[in-house]
Amino acid sequence: MPLWSKLPIKKRGRRLFGFPTVAAVCLALTLSGCAQVDTTSPADARDHAVKGGQARFGAVDCREAKCIALTFDAGPSENSARLLDILKEKHVPATFFLLGKRHIEKYPELVKRMAAEGHEVASHTWDHKILTRIPDRQIREELTRPDDAIERLTGRRPTLMRPPQGRTDANVHRICRELGLSEVLWSVTAKDYLTTDPRLITRRVLDQATRDGIILLHDIYRGTVPAVPGIIDALKERGYVFVTVPQLLAPGKAVPGKVYRP
């Protein structure tokens, strides 16, 4: 099983198995002790902000537009420069959840470029350790080291993180809250760690895409970046507008210690 293997997502009636319900998250955490994880949807984050009187945010209002967020885990890699070229050509912002060891360390110029070109730069921990299996001291190290590195490179400290394999619990929430970090899960996975076929990756994304969706891809795998142009074009044809995760939540803002997923 790959280091960043994900649980399968299957639709069954109105239930979505993977991470859409508390029970599903609980199932995902059986190896480390079951914990119920409450999540906040992008729509709920926006509604809460509107009720609080916050103003409209940015050029895209996802209360009106059919928004979707494209996110990439575990980079940068040798494929990331081509991915950034595609995103620039297609005028699409993305959110990058970066690994520190062997990635941020190896490709600092790509991290700078991601930020300079308007993408959201966030953390996927330093060494992809499963946070629910390690002591507090190591959790803090896994979270602070990549954020320190990203801040040095971009001048901006990340406020978002994605836990490896989506595994999280109340203790991880507490530490994230202390560190000013919000956790972001996903609703669409192409399982691109299991295939090098761009057509299959594209089909899986399109089959699962919905309004307010958060797409999980990995630019470290050979088949993923070639799939991205087709994914973007097809979703644009369906009327989707691509946004970063913060834009998806706006006018709400991600709250440290909270977990966000559609």
Side-chain angles (χ1 to χ4, degrees):
M1 181 180 293
L3 180 63
W4 23 73
S5 60
K6 312 294 180 182
L7 290 180
I9 297 235
K10 297 179 181 178
K11 289 185 178 178
R12 185 177 300 170
R14 296 174 68 102
R15 285 178 66 88
L16 183 66
F17 289 81
F19 285 102
T21 66
V22 169
V25 176
C26 185
L27 176 63
L29 298 172
T30 53
L31 293 178
S32 58
C34 183
Q36 290 190 344
V37 178
D38 292 324
T39 64
T40 301
S41 71
D44 285 344
R46 296 192 299 264
D47 290 346
H48 181 75
V50 170
K51 290 175 182 176
Q54 292 186 28
R56 179 177 175 139
F57 175 83
V60 179
D61 188 339
C62 294
R63 294 171 292 174
E64 301 172 0
K66 186 179 175 182
C67 293
I68 198 163
L70 193 57
T71 74
F72 296 90
D73 279 13
S77 75
E78 65 273 12
N79 305 314
S80 299
R82 175 57 185 148
L83 173 59
L84 289 169
D85 290 343
I86 292 168
L87 296 174
K88 186 175 183 179
E89 177 186 347
K90 302 285 187 181
H91 304 286
V92 167
T95 302
F96 289 91
F97 293 95
L98 305 181
L99 279 176
K101 190 175 182 180
R102 298 182 297 275
H103 295 273
I104 295 173
E105 282 184 326
K106 188 173 182 180
Y107 302 100
E109 294 305 315
L110 288 175
V111 179
K112 293 178 183 178
R113 182 181 169 188
M114 289 169 182
E117 294 184 359
H119 303 292
E120 185 73 14
V121 181
S123 165
H124 195 42
T125 72
W126 184 257
D127 198 22
H128 208 273
K129 289 184 172 68
I130 304 303
L131 300 179
T132 55
R133 299 177 183 170
I134 59 178
D136 289 5
R137 176 186 59 79
Q138 284 187 288
I139 295 174
R140 288 188 174 87
E141 183 178 13
E142 281 290 300
L143 296 176
T144 57
R145 287 187 71 184
D147 286 0
D148 289 345
I150 291 168
E151 185 175 24
R152 284 194 299 269
L153 292 168
T154 69
R156 182 176 180 272
R157 193 167 188 82
T159 58
L160 305 177
M161 63 82 68
R162 176 168 282 158
Q165 297 185 6
R167 293 174 182 261
T168 186
D169 59 18
N171 191 50
V172 175
H173 307 337
R174 176 181 60 81
I175 294 173
C176 283
R177 184 167 57 251
E178 292 171 3
L179 297 177
L181 291 169
S182 305
E183 301 172 63
V184 179
L185 301 181
W186 60 90
S187 59
V188 179
T189 175
K191 301 181 190 177
D192 52 355
Y193 48 86
L194 295 176
T195 180
T196 59
D197 184 352
R199 292 171 298 178
L200 179 58
I201 293 169
T202 300
R203 185 169 72 247
R204 287 173 173 171
V205 170
L206 298 182
D207 285 348
Q208 298 173 53
T210 58
R211 183 172 185 168
D212 285 347
I214 298 177
I215 300 169
L216 166 63
L217 293 169
H218 302 78
D219 50 325
I220 59 174
Y221 297 122
R222 187 157 52 96
T224 301
V225 172
V228 171
I231 290 170
I232 291 172
D233 291 345
L235 290 177
K236 282 185 175 180
E237 287 178 7
R238 295 183 185 183
Y240 285 97
V241 177
F242 287 93
V243 293
T244 64
V245 169
Q247 289 171 331
L248 190 65
L249 304 180
K253 294 183 178 181
V255 177
K258 296 288 187 180
V259 183
Y260 293 88
R261 68 160 308 282

